[in-house]
Amino acid sequence: MTAAPVRHASSHGDVDGLVAHLLDPERSRPVAVISCPFDVDEPWIDVQRIHEDVGDLVDVWVLTDKRATWYFSDGMPELTQVYGGAGRVYPADTTWQTDPYASPLHLVMTPAEGKRSTVRMISDALTMAVAAGLVAPSTPSAAMTSHTGEVMGTVGTRAFVRLESGETATIWSELTVPGVDIDAILAKGQTVSGLLDSNSRRLDIRPSLVQRDDAVAAYRPGDVVLARVEKVGASWVVVLPFPELSVRVPSQFVTDDPAEDLTDLFTTGEVVRARVGALNPLRLRMDDVGPSDEPIPAPSILPGGPPWITRPKPRPKPVPEPVLAQARDDGRPTPLALAARVGGGVSHPGLERARVAVATRAAEARAAAEAAAAAKAKEAEEAAAQARAEAAALEEAERARRRAMIPKPGPPGMKRPSALKPGPRPGPVPGRPTAPSSVEGESGIPGAEGALGIPTVDGVSTATVVAGEEAAAKPTTPAVPEGPKPITPTKSEPTASELHNLVAVWENRAKIEADRNTSLRQDLEDDRRALEAQRNQLDEAAREKNRLQNQVGELRTRLREAQSEGRKWKRTSEARDESGDGVADIVADRFADPVEQLRWEVYVDWVTRFGPAEKAGHPLPPPEEWGVGPRYIESIDTLQGVDRGKVVSVMVEVLTKLAEQLPGRKLHQLRTSSGGGTEARTTAEGATMWRAAIQRGSPGARALHYARKGKFIEFDQVGVHDDALL
């Protein structure tokens, strides 16, 4: 299958098309949607890696900017959006529209989180592709050939295999058995066979998987087996003794209390023990499984592989973690406290909903702050540019005005003022005021402008020069002298000084806006650090939630086992009450040989004590593995203060190893003296001596003494606790 190219959504039309595609109930492929961080142009999630790994099974889309992100969020159902650098894979079905947790959101706040989210999104995409039926069992083709190899090891959800050719291939757990860790499928050194895709170098081992009926074919009624809880309801629990093999167990085979809510006893994903009640079809029960019932190993998914599930080991005592603040200085609760209240340490949807809500508000606040900062920066830049443009226009107008004041060339024959040769300056013209002969340009350079802005030539006003020439060309006419008239400078445009002041004002305004922009960016950085701190608190809350969930699971297991053990003792007590003085009275005097009689009583007690399913968990050793010593029968016959049936029952507990689980038996080895640390007492044959209490509470309490060597048990004597032996 050819991988479709990565598609980018930036416009309204692109986003509308993506939303319509996601909401289409006829869509047949999962879709991965990735957004860009608000202040970064490229996603921190590795789009190219996702496309290379799963692009032939999943459509990959990128929301290119903030605007596209908001368009997308507006068109999607609540809690199903993607924003602020996060990513999400949407399954091919429509369950995610009503259950957002069917499409996990992978939040990304740093590039490092982007790498982790990339791996998680690839895993989600592959799992959803398998669920959509896009990864059918492979058949050999031009691009796929049969190979055998050895597993070198596992990393994450991948196993690396060295093929017989020396090349390396990978096995993906999501494409093998979804929902099962790779370490539960393969083990280092295991030999595997499958079909190799020469393009992706993936080895498909599904043709070698053990079929579920073959996996449980070795089960027998009475076997205690392991299973994983798939679903749980108030009156039922569904368990998986093998992948894709679901067995429903009604509450009557879990507890004696019909009002018991099984959701208080089981957790989804928990590994439990159950007893096989029947085969074809497989039936399981858990009401008679106790702490002493050891399960048989779970079947393997591949021939020669590890058990697909194992009994969880007891968790070590947790190291106390730092106490996080539950309230701010103003008394308001922190996000950790809110998450704890919502999640309650147990409710997954509540905590996830709180995390999504906090992240959404954080993303919106971050986007608003960035938008405000960008707007202020743009406004400052536009104001500065406008100031510079206005200043340039004013300067250009001033230069044009000055150029306009320079006289144009006169009629033919008239010399240009600039072409005048140096010589004596003309005298004043009668009847026309002239500027003082000392008037020069402001710079003191000939040709510069005068103090009143009038152009000069050689320090003499051009107007004076022209007037002198005109006077010389005309006849002198006496005129009545007129008084001097003041010359008023024209001031229709700003002066250079005013222009400089105006530019300084605008530059100062631009600096203020730049400082304000810097302050906004600093506030944005502070908000970002605060959001990161909140994210860390949420992560701490999630870890605490997981720890509490594990504790709850352990407590539920212990509760079930305690209830099962209680039901056993209840049935045993009821059987004894119905039989009067005990089993021994019913079977008394059946054999002439006292040893054979005792063996018969032991057998009957074992038969009546354990139910059909319990016998497999507490088997009675064959006759050749136990016996009685020369003084044992006499010690029973002369025993006072305890019933013979009670002694027989303790013998059964010793033979079935049940005494090792019962605190009341106080099972312990005998020592050569009462001092601590002394050597164990042994017989001449090397057997170790043991004592099991029959009674408790007084120095004269009766006890059962026996010797053990290997598997063989020999009952020696029944007497008071302080009896000396051997």
Side-chain angles (χ1 to χ4, degrees):
M1 184 183 298
T2 303
V6 176
R7 302 186 63 181
H8 294 76
S10 57
S11 65
H12 263 300
D14 295 339
V15 175
D16 289 343
L18 173 58
V19 172
H21 179 58
L22 289 172
L23 299 179
D24 183 4
E26 301 299 325
R27 177 167 55 86
S28 60
R29 287 161 57 95
V31 179
V33 179
I34 302 151
S35 63
C36 296
F38 291 125
D39 53 353
V40 180
D41 295 333
E42 295 293 332
W44 281 332
I45 295 176
D46 194 338
V47 178
Q48 187 60 31
R49 180 180 174 185
I50 295 176
H51 180 252
E52 291 175 354
D53 285 356
V54 299
D56 56 339
L57 300 172
V58 176
D59 297 329
V60 182
W61 282 75
V62 178
L63 300 173
T64 58
D65 53 29
K66 292 181 290 187
R67 183 177 56 181
T69 298
W70 301 134
Y71 293 164
F72 183 76
S73 297
D74 291 341
M76 294 294 289
E78 188 66 23
L79 298 180
T80 65
Q81 300 93 338
V82 175
Y83 46 81
R88 190 193 294 266
V89 183
Y90 298 88
D93 57 26
T94 59
T95 55
W96 60 271
Q97 297 182 26
T98 55
D99 180 14
Y101 306 105
S103 173
L105 176 67
H106 301 285
L107 296 172
V108 177
M109 303 290 286
T110 63
E113 288 183 345
K115 294 180 180 180
R116 292 192 292 269
S117 294
T118 299
V119 175
R120 296 185 185 119
M121 287 189 65
I122 291 173
S123 180
D124 289 349
L126 291 172
T127 301
M128 294 175 187
V130 172
L134 301 178
V135 189
S138 303
T139 56
S141 62
M144 303 194 71
T145 54
S146 298
H147 287 269
T148 300
E150 179 180 331
V151 177
M152 296 186 295
T154 60
V155 177
T157 61
R158 307 287 183 266
F160 297 90
V161 180
R162 188 182 303 280
L163 303 177
E164 72 279 4
S165 62
E167 298 178 305
T168 301
T170 58
I171 299 174
W172 297 27
S173 63
E174 298 92 346
L175 299 183
T176 305
V177 184
V180 179
D181 294 339
I182 193 69
D183 292 331
I185 303 175
L186 300 165
K188 185 177 181 180
Q190 182 180 350
T191 300
V192 294
S193 299
L195 299 174
L196 178 67
D197 187 327
S198 58
N199 297 324
S200 64
R201 306 300 301 170
R202 291 198 297 253
L203 186 66
D204 187 354
I205 58 175
R206 283 175 296 165
S208 303
L209 295 178
V210 176
Q211 299 300 310
R212 62 182 187 180
D213 293 338
D214 297 334
V216 299
Y219 286 174
R220 294 291 180 266
D223 287 347
V224 177
V225 299
L226 294 175
R228 175 182 290 172
V229 176
E230 182 182 24
K231 292 182 293 185
V232 59
S235 60
W236 51 265
V237 58
V238 177
V239 297
L240 295 170
F242 196 72
E244 299 183 359
L245 177 58
S246 299
V247 178
R248 185 184 179 95
V249 183
S251 61
Q252 60 264 33
F253 294 113
V254 178
T255 175
D256 289 338
D257 185 0
E260 184 110 51
D261 188 342
L262 297 190
T263 58
D264 294 334
L265 299 179
F266 295 94
T267 304
T268 302
E270 177 187 4
V271 176
V272 299
R273 288 171 295 167
R275 195 181 301 279
V276 177
L279 301 171
N280 300 320
L282 182 64
R283 293 286 181 264
L284 301 175
R285 62 186 306 163
M286 287 175 273
D287 57 336
D288 60 350
V289 179
S292 60
D293 294 320
E294 284 297 325
I296 62 177
S300 301
I301 291 177
L302 284 171
W308 86 280
I309 51 174
T310 57
R311 187 177 179 182
K313 298 179 181 180
R315 292 173 56 84
K317 186 177 181 179
V319 178
E321 298 180 355
V323 179
L324 299 175
Q326 296 294 311
R328 300 186 179 91
D329 295 338
D330 57 4
R332 293 183 299 162
T334 63
L336 173 61
L338 292 175
R341 293 179 189 176
V342 176
V346 176
S347 174
H348 168 71
L351 180 58
E352 181 66 17
R353 198 171 292 114
R355 293 186 64 179
V356 172
V358 170
T360 301
R361 290 194 297 272
E364 292 174 350
R366 183 181 179 186
E370 289 182 342
K376 290 294 184 181
K378 184 176 181 181
E379 182 180 346
E381 292 175 359
E382 291 177 351
Q386 183 179 358
R388 289 191 293 269
E390 292 179 357
L394 290 174
E395 290 178 355
E396 179 62 27
E398 178 66 12
R399 285 194 294 270
R401 185 184 66 83
R402 292 171 181 172
R403 286 194 298 270
M405 295 178 63
I406 299 176
K408 300 180 180 179
M414 180 179 289
K415 295 182 179 181
R416 294 171 57 91
S418 60
L420 294 177
K421 295 181 179 181
R425 298 179 180 177
V429 178
R432 186 184 298 271
T434 61
S437 60
S438 61
V439 174
E440 296 181 353
E442 292 180 358
S443 61
I445 300 175
E449 297 178 356
L452 299 180
I454 302 174
T456 63
V457 177
D458 295 334
V460 180
S461 170
T462 55
T464 303
V465 174
V466 173
E469 293 178 349
E470 292 177 351
K474 296 180 181 180
T476 303
T477 303
V480 179
E482 296 181 1
K485 296 181 179 180
I487 300 175
T488 304
T490 304
K491 203 171 183 180
S492 60
E493 298 291 342
T495 65
S497 176
E498 291 175 336
L499 288 174
H500 285 304
N501 291 337
L502 182 61
V503 171
V505 169
W506 281 108
E507 288 179 348
N508 185 56
R509 183 180 300 176
K511 182 179 182 302
I512 293 174
E513 293 298 335
D515 292 342
R516 185 180 302 172
N517 184 36
T518 301
S519 177
L520 288 173
R521 291 186 179 276
Q522 183 61 44
D523 292 343
L524 177 62
E525 184 62 28
D526 293 342
D527 291 341
R528 183 178 300 167
R529 286 194 292 267
L531 289 174
E532 184 66 21
Q534 290 181 352
R535 177 69 185 274
N536 292 336
Q537 287 183 330
L538 286 174
D539 290 341
E540 291 288 345
R543 285 191 288 270
E544 177 68 10
K545 165 184 164 292
N546 292 333
R547 186 182 68 82
L548 293 176
Q549 281 184 329
N550 291 331
Q551 287 185 352
V552 169
E554 293 175 2
L555 291 174
R556 287 173 172 173
T557 300
R558 292 170 59 184
L559 175 60
R560 290 197 308 271
E561 292 176 348
Q563 290 178 341
S564 176
E565 197 68 21
R567 285 189 291 270
K568 286 183 180 181
W569 284 106
K570 181 180 179 181
R571 286 193 294 268
T572 302
S573 176
E574 291 174 350
R576 292 186 180 278
D577 291 343
E578 293 175 358
S579 61
D581 294 333
V583 176
D585 292 339
I586 301 175
V587 298
D589 301 328
R590 301 292 178 174
F591 292 89
D593 184 351
V595 175
E596 291 298 323
Q597 175 65 34
L598 182 61
R599 286 184 177 275
W600 167 248
E601 293 174 10
V602 168
Y603 179 75
V604 173
D605 186 275
W606 176 76
V607 169
T608 56
R609 180 167 187 170
F610 299 103
E614 296 174 326
K615 287 183 173 60
H618 301 283
L620 186 68
E624 60 270 18
E625 291 187 5
W626 70 279
V628 296
R631 58 180 179 176
Y632 188 70
I633 298 296
E634 181 182 359
S635 67
I636 294 178
D637 292 340
T638 59
L639 183 64
Q640 301 292 326
V642 64
D643 181 72
R644 179 185 175 99
K646 181 67 173 180
V647 176
V648 172
S649 293
V650 176
M651 291 176 64
V652 171
E653 292 170 1
V654 170
L655 292 172
T656 60
K657 299 182 179 181
L658 182 59
E660 300 173 7
Q661 307 293 330
L662 302 177
R665 292 291 164 255
K666 295 185 177 181
L667 193 65
H668 64 280
Q669 285 184 320
L670 295 179
R671 302 290 177 180
T672 54
S673 67
S674 59
T678 58
E679 295 181 359
R681 182 176 297 183
T682 59
T683 65
E685 293 78 14
T688 304
M689 296 301 300
W690 290 77
R691 171 184 286 144
I694 299 176
Q695 295 175 320
R696 293 179 296 172
S698 66
R702 273 60 173 179
L704 172 65
H705 303 89
Y706 65 95
R708 179 190 292 274
K709 185 177 183 180
K711 291 184 177 180
F712 187 79
I713 294 176
E714 181 179 271
F715 293 98
D716 178 73
Q717 181 183 3
V718 177
V720 297
H721 183 276
D722 298 327
D723 279 348
L725 302 178
L726 299 180

